[in-house]
Amino acid sequence: MDGKINTSNQSLKNKTSFGGLNIMVVDDDIICLSIVAGILKTMKYEVVTVKNAQNALITLQQRMNFFHLVITDVHMPEMDGFEFQKKVQEKFNLPIVMMSADDKETSILRGLEAGAAFYIVKPVNYDDLRNLWQYAVSSRKVKSVVNRKFKSSQGASLVQKTSVDVDIGSAAPLNDEKQNKRDTKNKAPIKVNEGNEKEKVEIVTTKKTKVIWTTALHNRFLEAIRKIGLERAVPKRILEVMNMPGLTRDNVASHLQKYRIFLKRVTEASNSDGSSTGKNIIEKTLRSSFAVGHPSLVPRTLQHGFPQFVDHQQVGSSLQPGFLENIQMANGLGHDSALFPNQQASSSDFIPQLGYGQFHSMNNQDYFQLQTLGNTNPLYLADGADISSHQTQGISELLSNAMSNNFTAIAGSGQMGFSDGVSNGFSGSYGLRNEDNGNMALALGGNLNSGCYPQEAYSSAGFGSTNQLSPRFSNVIQQEYNPMLGNVSLPKFTEFGLDEIYLNQLNNPFYNEVLKLLAFLAAQEIHLCFINFQFDSLSDIN
DNA sequence: CACATAATAT
DNA sequence: GATATTATGT
């Protein structure tokens, strides 16, 4: 049975399309509703959004047997998520997934114990949504969910947590699924389980959890190292400091090993003289999801290319949290990614698309992202040895924050308009670059594995070439102080704007891509800070 | 097929 | 705890 399920799951997963699954999303927060719905739609789920529990119940009644899964916010006026959950389960016997910014264990447990199939802690994780279908498929048989924790076949000590799964950002289901293959091949302890306990747990788990090192988790890891001090940072200690229930020492050890390798590379890169070997190292390093600055290495790099940051941050005073973990991205956006469905662009594609290329792109975004948070230093181009005349042109920032229900676009360095800022901002790599006149030009063959192409993709996806968004953004502008940019005008991406765009622009391929990205970023609670590169020419890049 | 990553073994 | 090896996925 396990096998069967896995098989079907697998195929579904590979398609990244779960057509046929109808999901109702309930949230009084319209932004959140839009985001979640938007993401789900990119995954090809059929989504129906409802703004309050009462209407949700009515809809469920009207469309009896239509929905396969209900995902609901917990905190809602009038009827809250728990009450709603109860009714849904009683009347419709549908699996229900709760989501809330409330990550208190008591809340989570309350939801799960009441029968929720899953409890997602906001900001909503892409993988959490991506794997919703599993609950629709299995939740009937498997009582609730305490998924993976039964596992423990072996160590027993690990993975006891529940809330953490959410926290860690790795969707439990995903892990389980992935694990299965491997586990089957692997050994004993697991089998033992399969034979016996299995029945109790059915599909669920059984095996060792694969930790997905999300950005958040990785940052926590870095933070721990920073506190401890690199020299004394050993797995056990790091684990303690990280204080992430469910995470094991081994997990940390593994990650630490990888991290050290990264640091080593950075060292080599910074010591390199620009030789081809050095370039390779640099390239590899930068492509690594571990592209995290080491205090002793980053400053030089930074100062070289991004002096303005050095002033505002104590570069080198601590370990810099890094960027995006690519694992998470890879899992979430992977292959025929649903998020960027048309990203299979080849080098001969003329149509600019979001996600053009591979997930690496997303990686690099985090460079920027964390920069914004002020706890990271970017390491875009190690020492610029491989890219000759890169110089900073300006900064555009896009801050998105799903939690606070607003998107804020910041355009800095004299570029006050969001549209302008973005369109002017990115140039350089991956087939697109800015012409002197500020227009985006598509340049075939431009190809660089450094960190800027998501931005191109971004701008190319619409803002740069159309002015339609401009007015909307400029509707709401306020002065704000930004530690990096000083006083800047912040055009607000209003709720109205977001929602309206969502509703009305879904057939506009450009908006669509952009919004999907926005939604995704928001869901990831990713704060972007776009750094503008300007290369003299593409030849500089190659 | 090469590479990256996390788990696991040594 | 560090390092090497293995399994898995892209």
Side-chain angles (χ1 to χ4, degrees):
Chain A
M1 167 198 251
D2 203 20
K4 272 185 209 159
I5 290 167
N6 280 335
T7 304
S8 63
N9 287 357
Q10 201 62 40
S11 64
L12 277 174
K13 176 189 170 189
N14 290 338
K15 284 183 187 165
T16 330
S17 166
F18 318 108
L21 272 193
N22 307 322
I23 300 180
M24 169 182 279
V25 183
V26 186
D27 196 330
D28 60 303
D29 176 348
I30 196 168
I31 290 297
C32 194
L33 194 60
S34 293
I35 290 170
V36 173
I39 293 176
L40 288 174
K41 283 173 184 170
T42 68
M43 298 170 182
K44 305 291 188 272
Y45 286 111
E46 279 301 313
V47 183
V48 173
T49 59
V50 187
K51 293 172 187 169
N52 67 66
Q54 287 83 5
N55 288 341
L57 291 173
I58 293 172
T59 304
L60 285 173
Q61 189 71 47
Q62 292 173 335
R63 308 187 68 172
M64 195 68 91
N65 298 323
F66 173 76
F67 294 100
H68 299 102
L69 178 75
V70 176
I71 173 169
T72 179
D73 182 34
V74 171
H75 298 293
M76 297 184 289
E78 303 187 38
M79 187 189 302
D80 72 11
F82 296 122
E83 191 179 342
F84 175 61
Q85 168 191 23
K86 190 179 171 190
K87 296 191 174 174
V88 169
Q89 290 173 162
E90 285 175 355
K91 298 185 182 178
F92 307 101
N93 188 31
L94 281 171
I96 184 164
V97 170
M98 320 283 289
M99 57 180 176
S100 171
D102 181 359
D103 62 352
K104 286 195 297 291
E105 197 164 316
T106 50
S107 302
I108 295 174
L109 287 179
R110 180 178 170 190
L112 293 178
E113 283 172 2
F118 194 49
Y119 188 106
I120 299 173
V121 174
K122 291 181 183 178
V124 175
N125 181 292
Y126 186 94
D127 284 328
D128 291 337
L129 296 180
R130 185 166 179 269
N131 293 287
L132 282 181
W133 60 269
Q134 297 192 25
Y135 300 112
V137 172
S138 64
S139 87
R140 264 332 163 0
K141 347 181 145 184
V142 181
K143 179 54 180 284
S144 70
V145 160
V146 200
N147 276 342
R148 68 219 310 39
K149 32 199 89 48
F150 287 114
K151 75 204 341 36
S152 71
S153 12
Q154 41 238 71
S157 57
L158 37 162
V159 199
Q160 342 71 309
K161 67 359 179 14
T162 296
S163 53
V164 184
D165 292 338
V166 181
D167 224 349
I168 285 184
S170 70
L174 178 62
N175 286 337
D176 291 336
E177 184 179 281
K178 289 190 134 183
Q179 264 331 100
N180 288 337
K181 258 191 198 164
R182 179 187 228 176
D183 289 328
T184 28
K185 292 189 180 174
N186 281 348
K187 61 261 339 156
I190 295 151
K191 279 180 185 163
V192 174
N193 254 1
E194 287 182 318
N196 307 321
E197 308 185 14
K198 179 78 153 303
E199 328 175 80
K200 305 177 189 168
V201 194
E202 303 235 352
I203 302 186
V204 196
T205 139
T206 346
K207 322 179 175 190
K208 185 144 276 181
T209 309
K210 176 165 183 168
V211 172
I212 298 198
W213 286 83
T214 59
T215 308
L217 191 57
H218 180 54
N219 285 336
R220 197 145 180 161
F221 167 85
L222 292 168
E223 181 63 15
I225 288 181
R226 188 180 60 72
K227 284 180 187 166
I228 300 168
L230 188 58
E231 329 69 41
R232 276 163 303 180
V234 291
K236 194 172 178 181
R237 188 95 187 80
I238 296 173
L239 179 63
E240 288 171 14
V241 177
M242 284 179 75
N243 186 30
M244 295 291 289
L247 197 65
T248 69
R249 194 208 74 101
D250 281 0
N251 293 143
V252 174
S254 176
H255 196 65
L256 180 62
Q257 181 182 39
K258 192 179 69 168
Y259 178 62
R260 283 178 172 148
I261 290 171
F262 163 77
L263 292 182
K264 190 178 167 191
R265 277 182 174 171
V266 174
T267 306
E268 294 173 43
S270 73
N271 291 335
S272 87
D273 54 355
S275 66
S276 58
T277 306
K279 289 183 187 177
N280 275 339
I281 296 172
I282 290 170
E283 208 170 278
K284 270 189 172 180
T285 303
L286 289 175
R287 263 194 278 192
S288 159
S289 59
F290 261 104
V292 174
H294 181 287
S296 63
L297 305 171
V298 173
R300 180 170 156 227
T301 299
L302 263 185
Q303 288 163 11
H304 187 92
F306 309 94
Q308 72 275 37
F309 289 133
V310 179
D311 293 334
H312 297 290
Q313 303 181 101
Q314 297 90 36
V315 176
S317 65
S318 64
L319 215 41
Q320 283 37 328
F323 330 101
L324 246 251
E325 254 296 330
N326 127 30
I327 314 104
Q328 167 78 14
M329 289 312 200
N331 286 332
L333 300 179
H335 33 272
D336 24 296
S337 153
L339 185 57
F340 304 131
N342 43 5
Q343 76 181 223
Q344 304 296 353
S346 67
S347 59
S348 60
D349 257 303
F350 275 88
I351 302 175
Q353 296 171 326
L354 267 191
Y356 178 93
Q358 324 244 317
F359 343 124
H360 294 313
S361 58
M362 299 307 287
N363 266 354
N364 297 312
Q365 296 209 356
D366 244 22
Y367 290 61
F368 308 122
Q369 160 203 356
L370 295 169
Q371 178 72 42
T372 309
L373 299 176
N375 56 1
T376 284
N377 288 304
L379 181 93
Y380 319 97
L381 311 169
D383 207 343
D386 51 344
I387 294 183
S388 42
S389 51
H390 59 284
Q391 53 179 142
T392 315
Q393 288 272 302
I395 301 169
S396 291
E397 272 187 288
L398 170 67
L399 295 174
S400 58
N401 190 321
M403 298 291 287
S404 61
N405 299 333
N406 70 60
F407 287 87
T408 304
I410 302 175
S413 295
Q415 300 169 344
M416 282 298 118
F418 179 77
S419 176
D420 285 344
V422 175
S423 66
N424 290 336
F426 317 114
S427 61
S429 61
Y430 270 95
L432 287 169
R433 66 193 188 89
N434 275 346
E435 296 291 287
D436 288 353
N437 60 15
N439 294 325
M440 292 301 294
L442 220 104
L444 283 185
N447 189 337
L448 163 67
N449 312 313
S450 69
C452 21
Y453 95 69
Q455 287 73 15
E456 322 293 332
Y458 195 93
S459 56
S460 69
F463 289 122
S465 53
T466 71
N467 283 322
Q468 299 170 57
L469 272 182
S470 242
R472 190 181 309 285
F473 283 112
S474 51
N475 273 343
V476 189
I477 295 183
Q478 49 188 210
Q479 277 284 313
E480 249 177 57
Y481 179 75
N482 177 289
M484 279 172 38
L485 304 177
N487 283 313
V488 293
S489 297
L490 307 179
K492 285 243 175 184
F493 196 163
T494 63
E495 298 185 15
F496 169 75
L498 180 65
D499 195 49
E500 184 188 70
I501 291 171
Y502 245 114
L503 296 177
N504 301 327
Q505 301 292 345
L506 287 176
N507 49 5
N508 176 322
F510 286 124
Y511 277 106
N512 208 15
E513 293 305 299
V514 172
L515 288 173
K516 275 186 280 187
L517 174 60
L518 276 178
F520 172 74
L521 295 174
Q524 295 289 326
E525 206 182 1
I526 286 176
H527 297 243
L528 284 182
C529 171
F530 291 113
I531 308 302
N532 306 329
F533 291 85
Q534 180 74 58
F535 303 115
D536 282 351
S537 70
L538 285 178
S539 61
D540 288 331
I541 296 166
N542 296 320

